[in-house]
Amino acid sequence: MSHKELTRAVRKGEEIHEENLKRFLRQAGLLDDENSELVVRQFYNGYSNLTYLLKIEQKEYVLRRPPFSAPKRGHDMGREFKVLYHLNKVFSKTPRAYVHCEDLDVLGATFYIMTKVEGIILTAGEAKERKISPPEFRTIANTWLDTFVELHQVDYKTAGLETLGRPEGYVERQVINWGKQYLAAATEEVPSARKVMAWMEERQPRQYQYSLIHNDYKYDNIVFENNQWTRVAAILDWEMCTLGDPLMDLGTSLGYWTTLDDADFMRHMLPSPTMMQGNPSRTEMVQQYAVKSGREIDNLTFYFAYGLFKVAVIAQQIYYRFKHGHTTDPRFAQLNRVSAVCCDTAWQAIQKNRIDGLY
């Protein structure tokens, strides 16, 4: 699948000022003639930052900017640009970032321009359309996991990213901050949410290793080179990348790793290729990660509960923006229910002390 097949006409209210953009591209050395025709399409798969495909002068670029009416926290385009710009020098599986713009007069928000990566982005729809077989998914999952382990082994100091985060105290800060963010965005009472928050505060690991972590590593943030599924061309969506506990990164991925054993509503609202035959269970994936990475994984239930709670908070924050009229995307109308189901599932995992077969 090319990026073209993941795009559509720009959503009403999310247009960009094309003349200002062309002027900026010209000044940045990415455009020869400001009078050239610009075609703008919008990627429809993401739920967070807005991403556009730009086609001009036989070239294609990708533009990333924050959502309209979104708080700056969590949508720092300069930080994401810095990660890509530096990481690309030492880790080939990152898109090349060209230029970052802080001038709000151009598009009304900060943004950056990066290269468009060709390949296959494995959304649930794409996986069904391709009729991917169980043996293919075993290859896909293995390549996906190998790349995850490789990412956690990146020498971030050589990349110049040693100041990207504060790994000491990372787990405690995450538990506190995601709890605060959930309460700030809450629109109804969800008893399991408070139970999970209290349990994580009490049971969090106090000692851990740290590395560069992506914080949103899932199938549809990966570009496979081709349908042999043995090579990853690029990892996308680096907005939450930092330095921290790689098992927290794994926990986030577990939170997105929906299976056929999960609650009906979660399978419906968080469709993932991971539900298709041939993918490992969450438990099997953790076992394989441990072997490939050489890391011991204790306190697995904590990391899974954390991952689910983080997904719950993100869903709730987007629903809060929808409820208050800051976005009209119809996909967001039931994200409060997604958030509640994620909290309920996390509490189930805690009660049963396992990460599979919870329903």
Side-chain angles (χ1 to χ4, degrees):
M1 174 184 279
S2 70
H3 279 313
K4 180 180 179 182
E5 293 164 312
L6 273 175
T7 64
R8 62 183 174 196
V10 176
R11 192 180 298 114
K12 186 177 180 180
E14 296 180 351
E15 300 88 356
I16 58 179
H17 195 296
E18 295 188 9
E19 294 306 313
N20 284 0
L21 178 59
K22 285 199 287 187
R23 195 174 303 118
F24 174 80
L25 291 173
R26 177 77 175 87
Q27 292 169 351
L30 299 176
L31 180 63
D32 295 327
D33 184 354
E34 286 182 33
N35 294 316
S36 298
E37 180 186 3
L38 171 63
V39 176
V40 181
R41 302 276 294 173
Q42 188 172 18
F43 291 94
Y44 60 79
N45 195 49
Y47 280 78
S48 185
N49 288 326
L50 303 180
T51 309
Y52 302 84
L53 175 63
L54 313 177
K55 302 179 72 175
I56 193 165
E57 295 181 346
Q58 284 84 48
K59 292 175 283 193
E60 293 183 319
Y61 303 110
V62 172
L63 182 151
R64 295 257 295 168
R65 60 147 291 164
F68 288 79
S69 303
K72 183 178 180 182
R73 180 179 175 84
H75 301 281
D76 187 340
M77 294 294 98
R79 187 177 185 279
E80 189 171 343
F81 173 81
K82 174 186 174 182
V83 168
L84 290 178
Y85 184 81
H86 287 277
L87 196 52
N88 186 254
K89 300 173 183 177
V90 299
F91 185 56
S92 63
K93 297 179 175 69
T94 50
R96 179 185 173 189
Y98 292 109
V99 63
H100 170 241
C101 179
E102 294 183 317
D103 184 355
L104 302 185
D105 289 337
V106 179
L107 296 184
T110 61
F111 65 91
Y112 72 88
I113 307 289
M114 66 180 181
T115 188
K116 189 192 81 166
V117 180
E118 293 293 344
I120 303 169
I121 298 176
L122 204 56
T123 62
E126 179 73 3
K128 288 179 182 177
E129 188 176 315
R130 287 179 175 270
K131 297 182 173 60
I132 295 176
S133 67
E136 283 181 293
F137 259 123
R138 283 191 280 276
T139 300
I140 288 166
N142 189 61
T143 301
W144 181 89
L145 203 53
D146 281 344
T147 305
F148 202 19
V149 171
E150 183 183 355
L151 167 64
H152 290 160
Q153 294 171 340
V154 166
D155 187 341
Y156 59 83
K157 292 180 180 178
T158 299
L161 293 173
E162 63 272 16
T163 62
L164 184 64
R166 294 179 293 130
E168 295 84 1
Y170 176 79
V171 173
E172 182 178 14
R173 288 196 306 275
Q174 292 302 294
V175 170
I176 292 172
N177 291 341
W178 285 107
K180 286 180 178 177
Q181 290 182 57
Y182 178 83
L183 295 176
T187 51
E188 56 233 50
E189 187 64 32
V190 179
S192 59
R194 292 184 180 274
K195 291 177 182 177
V196 171
M197 289 164 59
W199 183 88
M200 288 196 302
E201 284 190 30
E202 181 183 342
R203 300 295 292 272
Q204 62 183 281
R206 304 292 174 179
Q207 292 184 319
Y208 45 86
Q209 297 176 319
Y210 54 84
S211 69
L212 187 78
I213 59 177
H214 182 272
N215 264 327
D216 203 17
Y217 191 83
K218 50 196 175 81
Y219 275 161
D220 61 2
N221 275 335
I222 302 298
V223 184
F224 286 94
E225 281 193 1
N226 53 48
N227 62 4
Q228 297 301 303
W229 311 115
T230 57
R231 292 180 61 84
V232 168
I235 303 169
L236 306 176
D237 200 354
W238 292 83
E239 98 179 77
M240 292 190 285
C241 176
T242 190
L243 306 180
D245 182 355
L247 299 185
M248 297 284 268
D249 211 5
L250 178 63
T252 297
S253 296
L254 292 173
Y256 284 113
W257 198 270
T258 315
T259 73
L260 291 175
D261 293 334
D262 289 328
D264 291 345
F265 188 72
M266 183 180 290
R267 297 201 313 270
H268 174 67
M269 288 300 294
L270 293 176
S272 169
T274 56
M275 292 189 291
M276 298 176 72
Q277 294 296 321
N279 284 285
S281 68
R282 287 186 288 256
T283 302
E284 289 169 338
M285 189 176 74
V286 169
Q287 291 169 343
Q288 291 175 24
Y289 176 89
V291 170
K292 290 174 183 290
S293 68
R295 299 182 193 276
E296 291 186 19
I297 304 177
D298 300 319
N299 213 352
L300 177 56
T301 302
F302 167 84
Y303 290 111
F304 178 54
Y306 163 79
L308 277 173
F309 183 72
K310 181 174 164 183
V311 175
V313 177
I314 293 169
Q316 185 60 39
Q317 288 175 322
I318 297 171
Y319 176 76
Y320 182 90
R321 288 177 47 233
F322 177 85
K323 181 179 175 68
H324 289 273
H326 298 313
T327 177
T328 58
D329 191 328
R331 296 178 302 161
F332 301 164
Q334 294 193 81
L335 287 183
N336 59 324
R337 290 185 61 196
V338 172
S339 179
V341 170
C342 286
C343 290
D344 290 346
T345 303
W347 186 239
Q348 284 273 72
I350 290 167
Q351 296 288 91
K352 297 180 178 181
N353 195 29
R354 61 175 185 256
I355 68 172
D356 282 308
L358 301 174
Y359 290 94

